[in-house]
Amino acid sequence: PYLDDPHNEPMLARMESLGMVAASLHIADPNGPFGNRTKWCPDPVEYWRMIRAFTRVMERHPDLVVVGAHGLWLLCQDAQIDYLRYLLSTYPGLDVDLAATFQYFGMVQRENLRDFLIEYADRVLYGTDAGRWHTDDQTAAIAEAYQRSFQILETDDMIDGGFFEGGPIRGLDLPRGALEKIYFRNAMKVYPGLKQKMGEWGYAID
């Protein structure tokens, strides 16, 4: 079933009335441009059915607070980025995270993605989709993956792969203000209690 299944309506309505955050909401799988579809969702028709189901949910619940996982998977084609612009400009309670998206940045126009992340810097949260790991070798590999994602956002260098490897990607060289919002300021705004905790942990948050 899609997200707009009637069985979900009571839950979504209650969450909207409470102002409860629908955190890390998964609505679709990535669909790349023609000639570079993904194994996760190679059918663009099915992909847009999932996206439209989410849009109908937001139309019914315009005050629902959502952090959409993986940029709602609207970062793999330039037209998808335009649709994400539409959603963010229409629904003020909607934010997205970047988890598992870095390896797809090479599928879109760099300047389009960069302009989007600057324009909507106050609506995007950093994320990676990294799970648990148990060995020193895995720790080293994850640390390298984090470093690659930082380089993609912070520099204009050619980076050899995204967080989960992939092809070379030219960094976006985002301004400091946008980076601060994406890395931590937006999360403090969305998640209750996080700002206080970060202060207790010694972070300069003002």
Side-chain angles (χ1 to χ4, degrees), residues 95-96 98 121-127 150 153-154 175-199 201-206:
D95 295 307
V96 297
L98 295 177
D122 58 349
R123 311 288 293 282
V124 178
L125 285 68
Y126 176 81
F150 298 151
L153 295 176
E154 297 174 19
R176 182 183 180 91
L179 290 167
E180 288 186 355
K181 292 177 181 178
I182 292 169
Y183 280 146
F184 68 95
R185 294 195 185 278
N186 294 337
M188 291 193 306
K189 177 183 65 177
V190 171
Y191 295 115
L194 181 58
K195 183 175 182 178
Q196 178 181 341
K197 279 296 182 183
M198 290 188 68
W201 294 333
Y203 288 92
I205 56 176
D206 294 327

Side-chain angles (χ1 to χ4, degrees), residues 45-166:
V45 175
E46 177 61 18
Y47 166 82
W48 281 106
R49 285 181 180 139
M50 292 186 283
I51 298 297
R52 285 297 301 153
F54 172 74
T55 304
R56 285 190 291 272
V57 165
M58 296 306 298
E59 289 168 352
R60 295 171 188 166
H61 304 283
D63 295 322
L64 187 65
V65 180
V66 176
V67 178
H70 314 306
L72 298 176
W73 285 127
L74 285 164
L75 295 171
C76 299
Q77 299 182 38
D78 287 287
Q80 293 174 0
I81 295 176
D82 286 338
Y83 195 79
L84 184 52
R85 285 186 172 100
Y86 157 72
L87 289 174
L88 292 174
S89 64
T90 304
Y91 302 106
L94 174 63
D95 295 307
V96 297
D97 72 37
L98 295 177
T101 63
F102 296 99
Q103 62 268 32
Y104 299 110
F105 284 2
M107 293 183 174
V108 299
Q109 296 271 346
R110 175 183 180 271
E111 292 307 314
N112 185 24
L113 178 58
R114 184 176 189 273
D115 287 350
F116 165 77
L117 289 174
I118 293 173
E119 181 180 2
Y120 291 95
D122 58 349
R123 311 288 293 282
V124 178
L125 285 68
Y126 176 81
T128 65
D129 213 35
R132 296 181 179 180
W133 59 92
H134 306 284
T135 69
D136 289 345
D137 287 345
Q138 289 172 316
T139 298
I142 291 292
E144 290 179 7
Y146 270 99
Q147 181 63 23
R148 287 196 300 272
S149 71
F150 298 151
Q151 290 175 308
I152 289 170
L153 295 176
E154 297 174 19
T155 78
D156 64 355
D157 300 337
M158 290 300 299
I159 312 303
D160 189 18
F163 190 90
F164 294 109
E165 300 182 348

